[in-house]
Amino acid sequence: MITANDIFTISSQKQFEKIALKVFRFQHENNKVYRDFCAFLKINPQQVKSLQQIPFLPIQFFKSHNVVSNTDPAQVTFTSSGTTGMITSRHLVTDVSLYEESYRKGFSQFYGNIEDYVVLALLPSYLEREGSSLIYMVEDLIKLSNHPESGFYLHNHDDLIKKLLELDEAGQNVILIGVTYALLDLIEKHQFNLQNTIIMETGGMKGKRKEMIREELHDILCKGFGVSSIHSEYGMTELLAQAYSLGEGVFECSSWMHILVRDPEDALTYVNDGKTGGINVIDLANINSCSFIATQDLGKKYSNNSFEVLGRFDNSDIRGCNLMVL
């Protein structure tokens, strides 16, 4: 039996691989959707001896199936955002304490004690709908900061501008977590010169603005907030782990998360470090769902296990993941 302690105390690549293979066998046995997918690929679980041999479930399965590895009722159901008429992903989380432990320990791994920060959140498109895993995480981080100034802002930009200026001038460490388009809206109202504030973008124009490349976006945000770098968070509805970038768009994973990059034309083979391909994520915190997810993101991985996200597959429901026959 794999425990939360096994997952959240991983300290080496060898230990990660050992637990990942255990999780693979557990999920193959207990997750019908994943087992059927492996059977379609003619995978014999006894012959899987390395991370590269583990099959990665296309993320689209979360739109059409309940991807679970036990029979416990869902404590919370996270859903992806989408435009009207779109089929959205559903992640049935049967033990939400695993998610809480994952993002709390993950944040601590990169930023230290949450109580050292005021946490401000500018996430209007997430706040305005139900089932956002990002809102669940940020709401908890706000509470854990134990600071009366921490909180959410919706469209009240003037209040947020005033608060940012007051806190920064007082020398208070602040993290402002924002969806991309809302951060751009904010700096169009006020040009900052922040000395004690981390700006963390969570990605996404949500149809509000034209998409732009990361270098251009971060350059605009750096100038608008008066900071030297923009931090980023990489997470998604279907995962319980996060990766963080402390600048330059290069992400590092939590200790229980790992990235592989698949060939964009052949979903079952991998490209070398530094080459562009589809991002596969191993998220061992996702033990009660599926820990091996083939995402629709394009990226590249480096020899130190850091990675970049470069965009999305065009027609991503088809290209590179033409295995949706179950």
Side-chain angles (χ1 to χ4, degrees):
M1 182 64 190
I2 305 131
T3 67
N5 188 62
D6 294 329
I7 292 164
F8 295 121
T9 58
I10 290 172
S11 59
S12 69
Q13 181 62 19
K14 186 175 180 181
Q15 191 182 9
F16 181 95
E17 292 196 22
K18 182 179 178 183
I19 294 173
L21 288 166
K22 281 186 178 179
V23 170
F24 162 69
R25 285 186 273 275
F26 168 79
Q27 292 182 340
H28 184 274
E29 186 176 332
N30 293 282
N31 185 324
K32 183 181 185 307
V33 173
Y34 187 54
R35 185 170 62 251
D36 289 349
F37 176 70
C38 291
F40 170 74
L41 296 178
K42 298 181 170 57
I43 299 294
N44 179 347
Q46 301 308 315
Q47 294 177 343
V48 173
K49 305 291 186 185
S50 71
L51 300 185
Q52 288 76 11
Q53 292 175 313
I54 294 173
F56 284 75
L57 187 75
I59 201 166
Q60 301 96 306
F61 275 83
F62 283 84
K63 294 182 177 182
S64 55
H65 296 72
N66 291 336
V67 183
V68 290
S69 293
N70 59 30
T71 56
D72 297 340
Q75 294 180 353
V76 62
T77 299
F78 292 130
T79 56
S80 61
S81 56
T83 56
T84 304
M86 273 184 66
I87 300 172
T88 56
S89 292
R90 296 172 69 251
H91 186 181
L92 279 60
V93 180
T94 59
D95 183 358
V96 76
S97 71
L98 285 170
Y99 182 46
E100 292 168 350
E101 191 164 1
S102 178
Y103 65 66
R104 289 171 183 173
K105 282 192 160 75
F107 180 92
S108 176
Q109 185 176 324
F110 291 96
Y111 293 99
N113 189 346
I114 184 66
E115 292 188 0
D116 292 340
Y117 300 92
V118 168
V119 180
L120 304 178
L122 184 61
L123 300 165
S125 50
Y126 293 92
L127 268 179
E128 293 167 328
R129 69 176 184 84
E130 295 288 323
S132 165
S133 58
L134 179 62
I135 293 297
Y136 189 102
M137 176 178 82
V138 174
E139 189 169 33
D140 190 48
L141 292 177
I142 285 170
K143 288 176 185 168
L144 291 171
S145 75
N146 203 24
H147 201 293
E149 304 284 7
S150 293
F152 283 99
Y153 288 79
L154 193 53
H155 301 296
N156 44 340
H157 289 168
D158 291 340
D159 293 343
L160 177 54
I161 290 166
K162 183 181 176 186
K163 185 63 64 183
L164 277 169
L165 293 172
E166 286 176 357
L167 291 168
D168 198 75
E169 193 172 329
Q172 171 65 53
N173 291 329
V174 175
I175 294 183
L176 172 61
I177 303 174
V179 64
T180 305
Y181 77 84
L183 293 174
L184 290 168
D185 290 346
L186 190 67
I187 59 174
E188 285 179 359
K189 292 199 76 169
H190 188 91
Q191 292 285 296
F192 296 87
N193 184 25
L194 301 173
Q195 305 298 314
N196 303 292
T197 301
I198 292 170
I199 307 298
M200 183 186 294
E201 55 100 359
T202 64
M205 293 298 188
K206 306 297 179 187
K208 306 281 187 180
R209 288 172 175 258
K210 73 176 179 67
E211 297 291 337
M212 60 179 79
I213 62 170
R214 177 190 56 77
E215 289 85 355
E216 179 188 7
L217 170 66
H218 282 202
D219 185 56
I220 292 169
L221 291 175
C222 280
K223 288 175 181 172
F225 285 106
V227 296
S228 60
S229 64
I230 301 298
H231 294 219
S232 305
E233 181 260 358
Y234 181 79
M236 56 190 71
T237 300
E238 300 85 357
L239 301 176
L240 298 185
Q242 299 77 37
Y244 288 99
S245 166
L246 308 190
E248 304 301 320
V250 178
F251 290 90
E252 294 184 46
C253 294
S254 307
S255 303
W256 46 95
M257 180 181 181
H258 189 82
I259 299 294
L260 297 170
V261 178
R262 65 184 186 271
D263 188 313
E265 302 300 336
D266 179 359
L268 301 180
T269 62
Y270 294 97
V271 299
N272 293 330
D273 289 347
K275 300 286 189 182
T276 299
I279 293 177
N280 285 0
V281 178
I282 301 176
D283 172 12
L284 299 183
N286 224 5
I287 188 167
N288 293 321
S289 177
C290 183
S291 291
F292 311 98
I293 304 295
T295 78
Q296 297 171 346
D297 292 327
L298 279 168
K300 58 176 69 171
K301 178 173 170 285
Y302 299 105
S303 57
N304 63 354
N305 287 326
S306 63
F307 69 100
E308 285 187 79
V309 182
L310 302 175
R312 309 257 297 176
F313 278 101
D314 292 328
N315 303 315
S316 52
D317 282 336
I318 302 167
R319 186 180 169 209
C321 280
N322 53 355
L323 300 166
M324 296 290 296
V325 297
L326 296 182

